Amino acid sequence: RERKDRLVESLLGRASPVEAKYLVKIMIGEMRTGFQEGLMELAVSRAFSTPLELVQKASMLTGDIGEVAYLLKEHGEAALSKLGLRLMRPLKPMLAQMAESPREAIEEHGGETAFEYKLDGARIQIHKVGEKVKVFSRRLTDVTDSLPEIVQAVREGVKAHEAVLEGEVIAVGRDGHPLPFQHLMRRFRRVYEIEKMLREIPVKLYLFDLLYVDGESLIDEPYLERRNRLSRVVEGIPLTEQLVTGNPAEAERFFRKALEEGHEGLMAKRLDSPYKPGVRGKHWLKIKEPLEPLDLVITAAEYGYGRRHGWLSDYYLAARDEETGEFLVVGKTFKGLTDQEIIEMTERLKRLAIMEEGNRVVVKPEIVVEVAYNEIQKSPKYKCGMALRFARITRIRDDKSPEEVDTIQKVRKIYEKQFEKKARL
DNA sequence: CCTGACTGCCC
DNA sequence: ATTCTGC
DNA sequence: GCAGAATGGGCAGTCAGG
């Protein structure tokens, strides 16, 4: 430690101010070069004079741009064209865009679509060759060892020698109702004490897609065909509940039923759509519903980074405790305001500042905002023991005074109400 | 061996 | 994950 | 319409320090 300190000290001592700035940025991982995988694909495409589309497709299929570059260097463009889905090598998952309602999804998909329950768990991709099974997470991490009962279920329930399947793992309670997402996270990616947690938090697999079966890639087959093949290939593993319809009222009822059973909402999948690895398009739409909005007061804010440098862009949101009159933080958000609104908010908050500590400004509780969120989680971090999941500001409530914000008691009531649909550990 | 800070990844 | 912005 | 930027809560894992 001492040695490190001295090395850094001497390095900075020898640097010019500008050099020092970038040295520190590098050391603390704040370079913000704007260089992500998309640019890397472009770079590889140019470096090997290969069409960008081909590089992108290969990147999706292998989930590894480094490997694509290697293939191009060693075997040239032909190797990429020949590239298909490979067993035991994960491909990037197909992604969904958002839709507001089942009706909108039906319209977008041309009058009829397939709705499936959207479960609040973790997406997995399963590769099976005989008794060998590998399970990959959404970011293609191998999570096989964390989920022994899923591996076992696949061995027993997938009636094909080779298969690549997709599904969602959720944690379930004794009655079969879904447990809140945070319980699943105690199982997912766990490496130690798996046996012990296996008993405490049971997980369950729901399958929804089949990408490969016994030598045949299905990724270019239409959704309905893949789904049919899936239902024929599995026994004893549930598929996500599904309804194919063009009737908005029927779809809406299905949506309500999913929510009533404690699930997140629906997916809508275009009937004739191929499986497009890594693509976030309109072939798949997700439909969720926020819980009832809360009016909360901003009690502190933090300065942003990068493009939000110099702006108070991250806000602490508090509800009022009707027993003590105290404002208690239930979450933090940076979402929902436009740049212009953030600039204005910065000015207002600075005028309300009570105290500054580091990056944070504590303010007089005065500005009320309407906040949307999707769940109230049990929180080890906040004093009130609860936290909003996916909090975002939907409106600035200048018509409301801080005395009128929602109470902790109301937040707790909504928290408790969630367990009418979900299981509790 | 325990704790706290931090990272990476699930959403 | 959600939201906004710039192309 | 899309990619990219900014950053939420919670969890397991890792690492440094005591």
Side-chain angles (χ1 to χ4, degrees):
Chain A
R1 173 71 207 256
E2 289 268 318
R3 212 177 107 251
K4 282 187 198 165
D5 283 356
R6 267 182 282 113
L7 277 165
V8 172
E9 233 176 85
S10 116
L11 183 61
L12 292 179
R14 281 176 285 137
S16 73
V18 174
E19 285 167 347
K21 173 177 164 182
Y22 285 98
L23 283 170
V24 170
K25 275 181 183 252
I26 290 165
M27 285 187 280
I28 65 172
E30 286 291 334
M31 267 307 275
R32 290 174 195 253
T33 52
F35 194 97
Q36 299 196 154
E37 202 170 59
L39 253 189
M40 192 63 204
E41 284 164 2
L42 186 61
V44 169
S45 140
R46 296 217 181 140
F48 297 97
S49 308
T50 303
L52 179 59
E53 299 74 55
L54 195 58
V55 172
Q56 285 171 334
K57 199 174 163 227
S59 170
M60 304 299 190
L61 231 34
T62 59
D64 185 344
I65 185 66
E67 185 172 2
V68 174
Y70 174 84
L71 282 172
L72 274 168
K73 179 146 172 65
E74 293 299 313
H75 308 287
E77 207 172 300
L80 290 202
S81 323
K82 275 188 291 178
L83 204 57
L85 192 158
R86 298 169 303 171
L87 285 165
M88 298 301 175
R89 311 289 300 266
L91 57 150
K92 292 199 184 180
M94 180 162 167
L95 303 168
Q97 288 194 26
M98 230 161 21
E100 285 304 308
S101 63
R103 172 185 295 276
E104 188 189 309
I106 290 170
E107 282 164 19
E108 178 64 42
H109 287 172
E112 192 178 38
T113 192
F115 292 100
E116 294 174 2
Y117 279 13
K118 185 177 193 306
L119 310 182
D120 191 10
R123 176 103 176 250
I124 56 170
Q125 188 182 118
I126 303 157
H127 291 236
K128 173 182 185 288
V129 179
E131 290 296 289
K132 283 207 330 219
V133 173
K134 272 186 189 286
V135 182
F136 300 97
S137 73
R138 178 183 155 142
R139 298 278 197 95
L140 317 186
T141 310
D142 188 333
V143 292
T144 309
D145 292 343
S146 307
L147 306 168
E149 66 269 64
I150 304 293
V151 171
Q152 195 50 37
V154 168
R155 281 191 188 129
E156 289 168 8
V158 177
K159 306 293 172 190
H161 182 65
E162 298 171 339
V164 175
L165 312 110
E166 276 210 311
E168 187 89 0
V169 210
I170 62 169
V172 289
R174 291 177 214 88
D175 52 4
H177 283 288
L179 280 164
F181 176 75
Q182 61 192 148
H183 297 301
L184 173 70
M185 286 296 96
R186 307 213 322 203
R187 287 289 316 274
F188 209 73
R189 283 163 50 235
R190 175 174 284 277
V191 173
Y192 306 105
E193 302 188 289
I194 292 167
E195 284 295 317
K196 180 175 160 241
M197 292 308 290
L198 205 141
R199 286 189 297 275
E200 274 185 47
I201 304 173
V203 298
K204 189 168 175 183
L205 170 64
Y206 287 84
L207 290 168
F208 56 72
D209 217 326
L210 178 63
L211 310 185
Y212 184 98
V213 61
D214 291 333
E216 186 185 358
S217 170
L218 301 183
I219 62 174
D220 292 319
E221 296 296 318
Y223 162 82
L224 269 185
E225 171 66 14
R226 299 200 310 275
R227 177 89 190 193
N228 285 336
R229 297 284 293 268
L230 174 65
S231 62
R232 277 183 269 136
V233 105
V234 300
E235 268 176 39
I237 302 173
L239 309 195
T240 52
E241 198 75 23
Q242 187 220 38
L243 170 72
V244 177
T245 185
N247 180 334
E250 197 185 359
E252 186 64 31
R253 281 196 296 279
F254 192 58
F255 183 40
R256 293 298 139 200
K257 188 160 151 265
L259 297 175
E260 202 48 48
E261 289 172 31
H263 301 304
E264 233 190 338
L266 296 180
M267 297 295 297
K269 298 182 178 176
R270 188 181 265 274
L271 300 178
D272 59 3
S273 60
Y275 189 93
K276 292 236 176 242
V279 173
R280 187 186 294 280
K282 291 196 178 242
H283 288 332
W284 286 11
L285 299 167
K286 56 183 161 185
I287 308 150
K288 304 201 213 179
E289 196 166 68
L291 295 180
E292 63 173 303
L294 292 170
D295 291 322
L296 301 169
V297 67
I298 298 175
T299 56
E302 279 169 11
Y303 283 101
Y305 290 86
R307 66 189 307 282
R308 291 180 165 195
H309 181 81
W311 299 342
L312 287 167
S313 56
D314 204 2
Y315 312 110
Y316 288 81
L317 308 166
R320 191 170 51 83
D321 185 336
E322 63 188 9
E323 279 157 28
T324 63
E326 226 182 335
F327 290 113
L328 296 175
V329 176
V330 292
K332 214 175 154 203
T333 188
F334 59 94
K335 294 192 277 254
L337 299 189
T338 62
D339 284 3
Q340 189 53 43
E341 287 172 319
I342 295 172
I343 291 167
E344 287 160 18
M345 186 64 84
T346 301
E347 287 311 308
R348 292 180 69 182
L349 290 170
K350 276 182 173 172
R351 274 182 261 125
L352 296 169
I354 291 169
M355 181 181 44
E356 287 206 36
E357 38 184 15
N359 202 30
R360 180 161 35 152
V361 181
V362 178
V363 299
K364 184 159 175 267
E366 193 150 301
I367 301 177
V368 179
V369 288
E370 182 186 78
V371 176
Y373 57 96
N374 287 43
E375 192 191 5
I376 301 175
Q377 291 179 291
K378 186 172 165 57
S379 171
K381 180 159 116 175
Y382 293 125
K383 191 171 144 196
C384 71
M386 300 177 291
L388 307 183
R389 179 147 78 129
F390 310 139
R392 61 266 189 192
I393 294 172
T394 45
R395 205 148 50 112
I396 299 171
R397 294 296 306 260
D398 284 327
D399 57 314
K400 277 209 167 189
S401 77
E403 306 314 313
E404 297 173 276
V405 299
D406 286 312
T407 61
I408 279 290
Q409 286 72 22
K410 176 172 174 181
V411 177
R412 189 168 307 284
K413 213 173 130 189
I414 300 171
Y415 172 73
E416 288 298 327
K417 205 167 123 200
Q418 298 177 128
F419 295 105
E420 288 173 12
K421 296 167 187 164
K422 286 185 197 181
R424 209 191 280 256
L425 211 53

